[in-house]
């Protein structure tokens, strides 16, 4: 029976242990703490601050910068892995070629051509050209590209010359939107364009073909013209040629007719005239016609006889009409040489002979002229020297003209047309062929040989026997040959440069053409030999190419026309129609030749005519004046002029100007002056008298010498003023030449890098060692220097712009002085009659026109066209390259913990308010006030002196800042804020976006759910390494943290894909009123994907089973409570046992944890989702206003919501494990209770139970001492040592000292001795004397810190702690002594397991008898009834007996003993003492020890003692001795009846024999069991002996009399 009870207890113990182990195992797999710690430790090492308290905001910034530096890292270039899209193919200075290659090799890119033209020449009196050049620059910057956000060039491109060109070709610019930024070009001196280089080459290809065709066609046309003329001349008769060609060589018709008559008369009459004894003869008369054709038949030569010649009136007039004349030259009466025709005296033979000889010689000269003309046309003029003259000159001239036009209008085509082609195969490869190879091909074609050309050689043409009739057909043949060549050339193929091209704005398709197609298309587009149409002309058809991606205008005089509407609206004009035309002359009295537009009639007259002046001179002056100074931007027709307000300010009649009236008054003859220039209106007499008086005064005060000197001086000044600009221009040109020469020399020297290479090679190793050390310092200093230089440059540019007003005023003053000097010079010259009045009028008109123009130039030259620091020229490149821009960057904490979304900062702020009234108000009046959501900080992009400052945004008119921070986008902006009698935030600087200094706020309030009202900042994971630092710099320099910051929080989420674990990090920086920044943080890890593997599925099954078990345990517990209600009448009696409380609380918490887990799984983990990235801001690389939210902040709200969901999930899981921790403690308590059945397992619990009362009393005493020391440390040292700063910290520190951590002793020893002096109330002089004494005292050898430390160590550590140990050790010793002779649990378990093993092994024997059957046999032999079936009923009938002094007593007997003892006890109740107890005793009643127990209480005591210490008696106890005596000879079973035996026969004998053998084996086993039972009984007797001792002590205690007086 005892063995069975032991087994039941062991089973209960094992079940409890198994339950605890099962719960612990499931919690272990759920938590996976070992795996989670790997993530926790990695994240903690990166994000955790080094200290829990910071002293200033710089330390917070350092923490943030360190975190960003550790996490926001770009991929490493060169590791062999291209981590697209954040590692990309290289272009310019960006990308990683080592891993990703070159961008132009892996993508289709647009080759772009950057063409920049500049001329910084500027009028004197404004900003110097050199300053304009130095402050201007440009760069190519991306607006939106999938790659880097930095500009293409590392530094801006500057200008090294005052004028010139810059050309760059980029073949690796990626797709996206770009901006060619021109900086500080305030007068539009720079022009240029960004072009598609491929389209430029295509356009240049077609233009090259046209230039070649045009040049060849011009050469061919020129040759054909010459050939046509030669053929025409060769087919003319002599006189037709003379009248058409020779006539043009004479100065006038009279002289030609005289020569013409001379030749005709001489050849018709001089055949018989004597020529030195011999007549001239008939042959000589017609000799001049031997190269001429017949007058009647152009195809035949002249073949008339002399007689026929004379008779032909075409050649010879009638003899009566012949009268010889000759030119005579003589002096007339005035002495002038005069030339006239005089008749020849035919009677004078010599004179007549000379006349005939002269006429015949002239005829031969004309004949030679005719022959040479044709020869020169065919050879000299046609062929020339084959280089610079002849028809090739026409080719070169056309090429040069078109070259000039292309350079002037389309300079980008110069390279593709003239310089870039290098091919020499013109016919087969016209695309790459050079122009000088194409032109000869298109001139000569491919016809060979060219017979007509070969038949027209110089030898033949200039042959002595050649006749003009022989040259004409050859010329015509050559013309036909040229026509044939032209037809052939027009059919030459022009292959397409490429079949298709996808540009950024349209798709181009090019087809194969012919030369004729190109030629005809260009001609239809109005091309000629001097100009070409624009490449974008639609008339070019398929050859029209729009290659300009973006273009902007500008030149050295652009300031005269740019933005006149804003800068000088008075110069913007309207076109006004004129009634007459104007043609200027050099005649002062008739300055214009005019015609009436309506009638076309000329307007006669001069300045003396009033009608002429009204209808011609005045309107024409108006036209020239207005066209000079007004701008209508070339919109006026030829019959219109441009009139503006500035022009209207000029007098229409220049003679009405007061200045000219003064000039006119100086003329000596006023009457003659009045006649010279007609008046258009009456001049008042007073004005005339004034002018005359002025003239007289001038005459009186100026002597002739003075006037002459003044005149010379004024004229010199006029010349100086007139030539100043030219001189300056020459100087500028010279300076340009010098600069160009210096640049050329510098470039040449720069290219000669031999010495530099040698030096650099020697310095390489030295520099390598210093580079690493200096890199960081250079970076910091470089940024600061760069920011400083940028600020200085911007300030200088702004200062120069602001100084333009002063320059303009000075220029106007100089202009007025120059005009006055000119006016004085004109006055003096007019008075001295050096010039006439009309000349004076012309000079005055020019002077006032020049003054108006110069005034305009002075005004506009000092008024910038554009005050903005930059000018944008945006364009797009799109080659349909697929680039995934939505990919999120991989940011890791450690190696495998990927950051999700980003880093979320959030700040709450307080306002400043007045401090409470105090006598120290003068020290500081402001204190921390209530929380505020007002905007704060300054956008550092607009703040000079910061590294984020962008000088390109610093303009005079604040256009850039108003564009970025636009108050008009707000629904109700606030303006005109009045503060301290000042009005700030004037429009357009609203108070929501700008501070009173007109600088934009950097940080603005945005509400987030679950957070206090504050200011969030989000560091996106897609920020590059450089971008993250730029954002950090932005918030640092924008003053995100300042004295009004109350707290700042940061949240970071990571995910480890390998371990499937999220981590959530939260840190709070609290800015305390004491001046320090206190840090609290939490780092939690959680696994959200709970069931993703086979092991998870197994755990899931066990979780379900365990949940069912836990629920069953709770149901069983509730059943017990209900059963108590039924059996005992009150369910609360169930809780009379403390263990029942523990059991119920444990089961309840287990059930609660089970519910929490399933809620966590279904409602939190299963529904949780978080995106890898949230697109919070408009741009990650903005130029300003970094914190501009995307989609009105919805993405930021979503990111915050995801963070909050994860935080709630983590909190729920933490609650789950915290409650489970309490559960484990309760389960351990239940296990310890179950362990109490075994003496040695219950040593600990029995020791603690035994020492419990002493421990309670000790805890009271020790707690008072401990808390007292903690309070003392807090009061004395809390203001100096952080470990005692709060009472909680003080308790914790004292406990640490108790455990051996004495680090705080160093801080205690460092305290001064003054703190050990007790507080004494002293007044006045005594106080001051004591203060001086204490201040002069040295540090005490034993400070209060040391006193506290040593007294605490001695009293608490060495005394009280040892008391505690003594109490526990004493109880343990007592319990241990009582269990010395008991058997350990291992022995009991070993016995049980051994018996079980033997029983199991016996099953293998053929003689095996089960334990149940053996028990039945034994009970039968003993004559007992089978009680196993009703074991429970039998046990219920048996009652426990308490053995005291070797006597057994039941519950009733013990109750009688109690009653007997109480009956003999004296009555200790003293009513008088009870009544006389003090009030204090009644308020704090003590235990009533003198009250007599009731019968019911005695019954309960008896029941408890018997139930606790009593045992159920064993039925075999009385037979132990007899059993022991019979162990060696076990009894035989009773003999069977004889009848039965006889009936069975021999077979029965065999069966009985077999059963006898089995019984013998069973008896042997039983004997062994009995021996073991005997040993157990001996042990039990020892236990009963100990129990009897305890019972005797209990009886002794019960028999003791209570002390007297109680």
């Amino acid at each position: 029976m005892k063995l069975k009870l032991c087994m039941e207890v062991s089973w209960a113990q094992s079940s409890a242990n198994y339950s605890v182990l099962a719960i612990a195992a499931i919690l272990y797999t759920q938590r996976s703490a070992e795996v989670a710690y790997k993530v926790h430790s990695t994240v903690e090492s990166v994000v955790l601050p080094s200290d829990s308290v910071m002293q200033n905001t710089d330390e917070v910034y350092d923490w943030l910068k360190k975190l960003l530096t550790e996490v926001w890292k770009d991929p490493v270039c060169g590791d062999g892995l291209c981590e697209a899209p954040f590692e990309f193919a290289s272009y310019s200075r960006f990308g990683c070629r080592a891993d990703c290659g070159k961008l132009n090799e892996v993508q289709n890119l647009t080759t772009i051509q950057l063409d920049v033209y500049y001329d910084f020449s500027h009028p004197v009196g404004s900003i110097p050209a050199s300053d304009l050049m130095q402050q201007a620059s440009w760069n190519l910057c991306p607006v939106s590209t999938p790659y880097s956000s930095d500009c293409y060039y590392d530094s801006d491109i500057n200008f090294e010359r005052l004028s010139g060109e810059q050309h760059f070709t980029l073949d690796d610019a990626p797709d996206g939107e770009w901006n060619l930024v021109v900086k500080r070009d305030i007068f539009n001196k720079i022009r240029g364009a960004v072009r598609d280089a491929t389209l430029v080459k295509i356009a240049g290809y077609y233009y090259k073909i046209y230039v070649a065709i045009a040049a060849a066609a011009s050469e061919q046309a020129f040759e054909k013209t010459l050939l046509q003329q030669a053929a025409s001349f060769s087919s003319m008769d002599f006189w037709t040629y003379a009248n058409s060609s020779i006539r043009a060589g004479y100065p006038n018709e009279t002289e030609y007719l005289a020569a013409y008559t001379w030749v005709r008369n001489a050849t018709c009459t001089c055949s018989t005239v004597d020529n030195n004894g011999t007549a001239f003869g008939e042959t000589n008369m017609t000799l001049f016609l031997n190269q001429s054709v017949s007058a009647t038949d152009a195809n035949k030569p002249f073949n008339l006889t002399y007689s026929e010649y004379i008779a032909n009136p075409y050649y010879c007039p009638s003899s009566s009409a012949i009268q010889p004349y000759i030119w005579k030259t003589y002096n007339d009466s005035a002495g002038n040489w005069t030339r006239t025709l005089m008749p020849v005296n035919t009677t004078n033979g010599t004179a007549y002979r000379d006349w005939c000889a002269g006429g015949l010689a002239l005829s031969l000269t004309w004949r030679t002229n005719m022959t040479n003309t044709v020869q020169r046309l065919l050879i000299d003029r046609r062929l020339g020297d084959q280089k610079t003259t002849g028809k090739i000159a026409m080719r070169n001239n056309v090429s040069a003209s078109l070259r000039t036009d292309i350079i002037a209008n389309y300079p980008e085509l110069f390279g593709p047309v003239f310089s870039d082609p290098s091919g020499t195969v013109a016919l087969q490869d016209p695309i790459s062929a050079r122009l000088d190879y194409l032109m000869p091909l298109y001139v000569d074609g491919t016809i060979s040989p060219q017979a007509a050309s070969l038949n027209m050689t110089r030898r033949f043409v200039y042959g002595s026997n050649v006749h003009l009739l022989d040259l004409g057909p050859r010329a015509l043949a050559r013309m036909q040959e040229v026509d044939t060549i032209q037809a052939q050339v027009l059919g030459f193929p022009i292959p397409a440069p490429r079949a298709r091209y996808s540009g950024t704005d349209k798709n181009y398709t090019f087809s194969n053409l012919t030369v004729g197609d190109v030629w005809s298309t260009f001609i239809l587009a109005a091309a000629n030999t001097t100009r070409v149409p624009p490449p974008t002309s639609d008339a070019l058809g398929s050859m029209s190419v729009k290659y300009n991606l973006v273009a902007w205008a500008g030149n050295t005089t652009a300031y005269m026309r740019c933005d006149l509407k804003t800068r000088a609206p008075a110069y913007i004009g309207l076109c006004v129609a004129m009634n007459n035309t104007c043609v200027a002359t050099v005649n002062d009295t008739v300055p214009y030749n005019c015609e009436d537009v309506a009638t076309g009639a000329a307007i006669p007259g001069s300045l003396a005519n009033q009608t002429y002046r009204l209808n011609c001179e005045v309107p024409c002056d108006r036209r020239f004046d207005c066209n000079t100074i007004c701008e209508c931007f070339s919109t006026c027709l030829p019959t219109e002029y441009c009139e503006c307000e500035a022009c209207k300010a000029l007098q229409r009649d220049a003679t009405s100007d007061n200045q000219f009236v003064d000039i006119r008054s100086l003329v000596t003859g006023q009457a003659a002056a009045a006649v010279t220039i007609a008046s258009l209106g009456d001049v008042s007499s007073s004005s005339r008298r004034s002018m005359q008086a002025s003239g007289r005064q001038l005459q009186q005060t100026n002597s002739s010498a003075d006037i002459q000197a003044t005149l010379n001086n004024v004229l010199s000044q006029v010349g100086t003023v007139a030539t100043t600009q030219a001189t300056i221009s020459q100087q500028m040109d010279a300076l340009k030449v010098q600069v160009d020469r210096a640049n050329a020399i510098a470039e040449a020297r720069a290219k000669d890098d031999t010495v530099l290479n040698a030096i650099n090679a020697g310095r390489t190793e030295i520099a390598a060692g210093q580079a690493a050390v200096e890199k960081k310092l250079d970076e910091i200093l470089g940024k600061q220097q760069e920011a400083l230089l940028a600020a200085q440059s911007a300030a200088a540019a702004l200062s120069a712009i602001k100084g333009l007003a002063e320059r303009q005023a000075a220029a106007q003053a100089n202009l007025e002085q120059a005009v006055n000097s000119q006016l004085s010079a004109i006055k003096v010259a007019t008075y001295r009659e050096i010039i006439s009045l009309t000349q004076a009028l012309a000079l005055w008109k020019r002077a006032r026109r020049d003054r108006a123009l110069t005034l305009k130039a002075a005004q506009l030259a000092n008024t910038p066209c554009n005050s903005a620091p930059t000018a944008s020229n945006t364009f797009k490149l799109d080659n349909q390259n697929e680039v995934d821009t939505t990919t999120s960057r991989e940011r890791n904490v450690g190696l495998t913990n990927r950051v999700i979304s980003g880093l979320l900062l959030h700040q709450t702020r307080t306002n400043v308010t007045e401090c409470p009234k105090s006598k120290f108000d003068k020290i500081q009046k402001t204190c921390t006030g209530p929380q505020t959501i007002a905007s704060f900080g300054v956008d550092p992009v607009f703040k000079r002196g910061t590294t984020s400052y962008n000088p390109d945004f610093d303009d005079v008119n604040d256009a850039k800042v108003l564009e970025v921070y636009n108050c008009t986008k707000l629904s109700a902006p606030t303006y005109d804020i009045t503060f301290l009698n000042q009005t700030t935030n004037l429009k357009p600087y609203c108070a929501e976006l700008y501070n009173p200094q007109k600088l934009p706020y950097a940080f603005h309030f945005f509400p987030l759910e679950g957070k206090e009202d504050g200011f969030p900042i989000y560091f996106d994971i897609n920020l590059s390494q450089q971008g993250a630092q730029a954002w950090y710099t932005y918030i640092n320099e924008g003053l995100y943290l300042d004295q009004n910051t109350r707290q700042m929080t940061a949240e970071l989420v990571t995910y480890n894909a390998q371990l499937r674990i999220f981590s959530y990090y939260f840190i709070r920086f609290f800015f305390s009123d004491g001046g320090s920044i206190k840090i609290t943080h939490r780092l939690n890890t959680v696994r959200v994907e709970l069931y993703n593997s086979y092991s998870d599925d197994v755990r899931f099954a066990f979780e379900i089973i365990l949940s069912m078990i836990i629920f069953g345990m709770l149901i069983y517990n509730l059943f017990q409570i209900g059963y108590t209600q039924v059996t005992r009448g009150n369910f609360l009696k169930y809780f009379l046992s403390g263990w029942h409380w523990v059991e119920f609380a444990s089961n309840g918490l287990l059930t609660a944890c089970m519910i929490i887990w399933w809620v966590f799984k279904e409602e939190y983990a299963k529904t949780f989702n978080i995106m890898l990235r949230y697109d919070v801001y408009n741009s990650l690389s903005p130029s300003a206003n970094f914190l501009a939210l995307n989609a009105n902040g919805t993405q930021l709200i979503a990111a915050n919501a995801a963070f909050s969901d994860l935080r709630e999930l983590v909190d729920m899981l933490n609650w789950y494990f915290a409650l489970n921790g309490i559960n484990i403690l309760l389960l351990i308590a239940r296990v310890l209770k179950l362990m109490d059945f075994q003496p040695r397992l219950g040593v600990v619990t029995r020791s603690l139970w035994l020492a419990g009362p002493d421990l309670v009393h000790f805890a009271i005493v020790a707690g008072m001492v401990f808390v007292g020391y903690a309070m003392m440390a807090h009061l004395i040292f809390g203001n100096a040592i952080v470990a005692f700063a709060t009472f909680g910290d003080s308790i914790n520190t004292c406990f640490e000292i108790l455990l051996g951590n004495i680090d705080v002793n160093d801080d205690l020893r460092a305290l001064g001795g003054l703190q050990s002096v007790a507080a004494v109330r002293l007044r006045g002089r005594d106080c001051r004397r004591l203060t001086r004494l204490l201040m002069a005292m040295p540090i005490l050898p034993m400070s209060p810190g040391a006193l506290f430390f040593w007294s605490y160590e001695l009293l608490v550590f060495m005394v009280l702690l040892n008391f505690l140990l003594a109490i526990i050790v004493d109880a343990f010793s007592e319990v241990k002594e009582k269990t010395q002779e008991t058997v350990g649990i291992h022995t009991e378990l070993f016995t049980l397991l051994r018996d079980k093993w033997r029983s199991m092994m016996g099953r293998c024997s053929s003689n095996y008898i089960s334990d149940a059957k053996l028990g039945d046999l034994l009970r039968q032999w003993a004559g007992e009834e089978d009680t196993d079936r009703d074991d429970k009923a039998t046990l219920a009938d048996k009652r426990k007996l308490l053995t005291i002094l070797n006597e057994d007593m039941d519950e009733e007997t013990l109750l009688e003993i109690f009653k007997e003892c109480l009956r003999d006890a004296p009555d200790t109740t003293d009513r008088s003492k009870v009544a006389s107890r003090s009030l204090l005793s009644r308020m704090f009643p003590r235990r009533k020890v003198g009250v007599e127990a009731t019968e019911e209480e005695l019954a309960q005591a008896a029941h408890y003692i018997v139930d606790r210490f009593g045992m159920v008696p064993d039925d075999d106890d009385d037979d132990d001795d007899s059993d022991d005596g019979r162990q060696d000879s076990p009894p035989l079973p009773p003999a069977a009846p004889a009848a039965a035996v006889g009936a069975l026969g021999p077979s029965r004998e065999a069966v009985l024999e077999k059963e006898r053998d089995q019984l013998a084996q069973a008896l042997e086993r039983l004997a062994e069991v009995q021996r073991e039972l005997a040993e157990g009984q001996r042990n039990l007797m020892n236990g009963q002996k100990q129990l009897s001792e305890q019972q005797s002590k209990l009886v002794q205690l019960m028999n003791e009399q209570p002390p007297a007086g109680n």
Side-chain angles (χ1 to χ4, degrees), residues 31 51 96 100 189 287 317 356 442 468 528 565 588 700 773 815 851 1067 1284 1286 1527 1548 1577 1597 1604:
R31 186 58 166 167
D51 200 352
C96 180
C100 306
K189 300 291 185 178
L287 186 60
C356 288
Y442 294 161
L468 292 182
N528 52 41
K565 184 176 181 181
D588 296 331
Q700 293 173 0
V773 179
L815 173 62
R851 178 179 65 178
I1067 185 171
F1284 303 108
T1286 65
Q1527 285 178 358
R1548 176 64 176 170
Q1577 288 176 352
L1597 291 173

Side-chain angles (χ1 to χ4, degrees), residues 1075-1144:
S1076 62
I1077 303 173
K1078 297 183 178 179
I1079 301 173
T1080 57
H1081 62 86
R1082 56 180 289 192
L1083 176 59
N1084 303 103
T1085 57
V1086 60
R1087 183 180 175 188
V1088 179
E1089 300 171 290
L1090 301 177
Y1091 308 102
N1092 272 5
S1093 65
Y1094 175 76
S1095 59
D1096 294 337
D1097 295 337
V1098 173
R1099 190 189 77 241
F1100 178 66
F1102 278 102
E1103 287 172 351
I1104 295 176
I1105 296 173
L1106 182 63
S1107 298
M1108 297 173 62
I1109 294 173
I1110 291 174
F1111 187 72
M1113 293 170 61
L1114 181 63
I1115 295 297
Y1116 178 73
N1117 213 193
L1118 295 176
F1119 172 77
Q1120 287 180 325
I1121 295 174
Y1123 182 78
T1124 303
Q1125 176 70 32
V1126 173
T1127 58
R1128 304 180 65 177
N1130 189 353
F1131 72 93
L1132 295 177
K1133 291 183 179 181
Y1134 177 82
F1135 297 102
L1136 292 177
S1137 174
W1139 293 112
H1140 288 172
W1141 278 104
V1142 172
E1143 183 180 0
F1144 182 76

Side-chain angles (χ1 to χ4, degrees), residues 962-963 965-973 975 987-990 993-994:
L962 292 174
E963 177 184 350
Y965 293 90
N966 190 353
C967 293
T968 60
K969 295 182 179 180
L970 301 179
S971 58
Y975 300 103
K987 197 172 183 179
Y989 304 96
C990 59
L993 300 181
Y994 294 89

Side-chain angles (χ1 to χ4, degrees), residues 402-478:
L402 294 176
R403 178 190 183 108
T404 302
D405 181 65
I406 289 175
I407 292 175
N409 299 307
Y410 318 107
E412 65 276 5
L413 297 178
F414 175 79
V417 174
F418 296 100
S419 62
D420 293 345
S422 58
T424 58
V425 182
L427 182 61
Q428 289 78 14
D429 187 17
I431 296 177
S432 59
R434 286 160 43 184
L435 191 62
D436 54 345
Y437 280 85
L438 285 172
M439 290 189 294
L441 174 66
Y442 294 161
V443 169
D444 297 330
T446 59
I447 297 176
S448 179
Q450 297 180 7
S453 178
L454 296 176
N455 290 333
M456 201 179 300
T457 63
R458 177 179 292 274
R459 177 179 296 179
F460 175 78
V461 172
Y462 279 97
S464 59
N465 296 324
V466 69
H467 192 277
L468 292 182
L469 284 177
D470 298 331
L471 299 178
R474 293 175 182 252
L476 294 175
R478 175 58 184 168

